[in-house]
Amino acid sequence: MHPRNPHAARYNFPELVQTSPELAAFVVPNPAGDSSIDFANPAAVKALNRALLKQYYGVAHWDVPAGYLCPPIPGRADYLHYAADLLAADHAGGIPRDKSVQVLDVGVGANCVYPIIGSQVYGWRFVGSEVDTIALRAAKSMVAVNPTLAGRVDLRLQSNKEDIFPGIVKPREEFDLVICNPPFHTSAADAATGSRRKGRNLGYAKTKTSEPLLNFGGQNTELWCEGGEEGFLKRMVAQSVPLASQVLWFSSLISKKETLRSAHYFLGQVGATEVKVLDMSQGQKVSRIVAWTFQDEAQRQAWAQRRWK
């Protein structure tokens, strides 16, 4: 994990339980005799997330509606720390850490995790877009009841599921960074197959449950879209072109190696000035961030001097 990621070490369950007593009901010894939780249990995963967000990011009230994505916190934090390094490279190596930095989270979800972490660690402001009205309402409720998020998170409905930026980015509005965790699968059937495979890896096969709930959840708009990860990224790249002067860095998480090859092709077609690939790993999981800009080095440094303190 990234050196600044506070979740790189093993979870300190005694400390987490002290912060969030409800977690105690889910703490069990693992095969090695250490304290852990059953990661195949959705309620346990939600309780762990709630404890982590409260202890490390000062968010006292966090929840997601039943069935919605409950993402692993360490991986989400990793993305933001690597993205902070990306901005620092245009700022003489110093990470900009206040409200002068505005980030667009494409597909913020009901969990609102990226804005929570980014606003509390770096002081950034966030705009979160979402196509799902239930998810958007849940995220807005969470922002409203947490004073630490006040004035830092603006949540907007994307009314056209084919659009990513139109209808969200206002005329002359500027973003220093765009982040995105795109839908991974190409169809509902593909998502269901992936869920069953994940379930077997987490130990569902040892239970009597034939169709387990996803431990991390996820609705259709969170898990799949036409064309899957590659199709979404292709649309995102195409729609980024008109915003070349309004956004410093665009970025997206990529899970599949073959999508990375396609990303380079798409970005070459639209004439991106610079493309960076940031490798990440959490345990056995390896993923990467692809980031691109239409501004050259001199333009990026001028942007930083103009906008960041």
Side-chain angles (χ1 to χ4, degrees):
M1 290 189 182
H2 192 281
R4 290 195 302 276
N5 195 329
H7 313 296
R10 296 177 62 87
Y11 294 129
N12 187 325
F13 281 99
E15 285 187 3
L16 290 171
V17 167
Q18 188 173 6
T19 298
S20 187
E22 67 169 301
L23 179 62
F26 301 102
V27 177
V28 294
N30 63 18
D34 299 319
S35 294
S36 185
I37 64 166
D38 178 4
F39 285 94
N41 181 343
V45 172
K46 185 182 287 189
L48 174 61
N49 275 14
R50 189 176 289 120
L52 290 170
L53 291 170
K54 186 175 183 179
Q55 177 169 327
Y56 289 93
Y57 306 106
V59 172
H61 307 286
W62 183 88
D63 199 4
V64 292
Y68 279 77
L69 194 64
C70 184
I73 303 303
R76 296 300 194 262
D78 241 25
Y79 188 159
L80 290 172
H81 291 306
Y82 280 105
D85 291 343
L86 186 68
L87 298 185
D90 294 325
H91 195 225
I95 299 171
R97 290 178 175 266
D98 57 31
K99 287 186 176 182
S100 63
V101 177
Q102 177 157 261
V103 182
L104 172 60
D105 180 4
V106 176
V108 64
N111 59 79
C112 204
V113 164
Y114 284 127
I116 288 172
I117 297 175
S119 66
Q120 300 311 298
V121 174
Y122 294 115
W124 299 341
R125 290 178 297 125
F126 279 77
V127 170
S129 68
E130 181 54 58
V131 298
D132 187 312
T133 55
I134 296 175
L136 188 69
R137 186 162 60 247
K140 284 185 175 181
S141 296
M142 188 156 46
V143 170
V145 298
N146 284 287
T148 55
L149 302 178
R152 296 183 181 273
V153 184
D154 178 14
L155 299 167
R156 303 175 185 175
L157 177 66
Q158 174 55 269
S159 57
N160 186 344
K161 293 184 179 181
E162 296 302 312
D163 285 337
I164 296 172
F165 301 119
I168 296 296
V169 179
K170 299 175 182 178
R172 295 182 294 280
E173 187 174 31
E174 292 183 321
F175 288 94
D176 305 282
L177 175 68
V178 170
I179 61 174
C180 180
N181 191 349
F184 180 77
H185 299 287
T186 58
S187 67
D190 184 30
T193 299
S195 298
R196 286 192 290 270
R197 180 170 57 250
K198 186 175 184 180
R200 287 194 296 272
N201 292 339
L202 287 165
Y204 285 128
K206 299 176 183 178
T207 73
K208 297 180 180 179
T209 305
S210 59
E211 287 292 338
L213 290 170
L214 269 173
N215 66 327
F216 296 121
Q219 297 294 300
N220 285 347
T221 55
E222 296 175 309
L223 298 177
W224 72 274
C225 68
E226 186 174 351
E229 181 179 71
E230 182 175 308
F232 189 95
L233 185 63
K234 184 177 182 180
R235 292 203 309 276
M236 185 177 179
V237 168
Q239 293 183 21
S240 71
V241 177
L243 300 177
S245 64
Q246 290 178 250
V247 175
L248 183 61
W249 282 100
F250 299 88
S251 74
S252 177
L253 193 67
I254 290 182
S255 298
K256 300 179 180 180
K257 287 184 178 180
E258 52 268 32
T259 304
L260 183 59
R261 291 193 294 269
S262 299
H264 282 293
Y265 175 77
F266 299 150
L267 290 164
Q269 290 291 99
V270 300
T273 303
E274 188 166 350
V275 178
K276 293 185 178 183
V277 177
L278 312 175
D279 293 320
M280 301 191 301
S281 62
Q282 295 98 38
Q284 295 181 340
K285 181 181 179 181
V286 177
S287 57
R288 55 209 58 82
I289 301 165
V290 61
W292 67 96
T293 182
F294 296 97
Q295 302 185 35
D296 61 28
E297 185 175 356
Q299 290 173 315
R300 298 198 303 272
Q301 290 180 359
W303 174 292
Q305 291 174 3
R306 174 173 61 87
R307 284 183 53 85
W308 305 338
K309 297 178 182 178

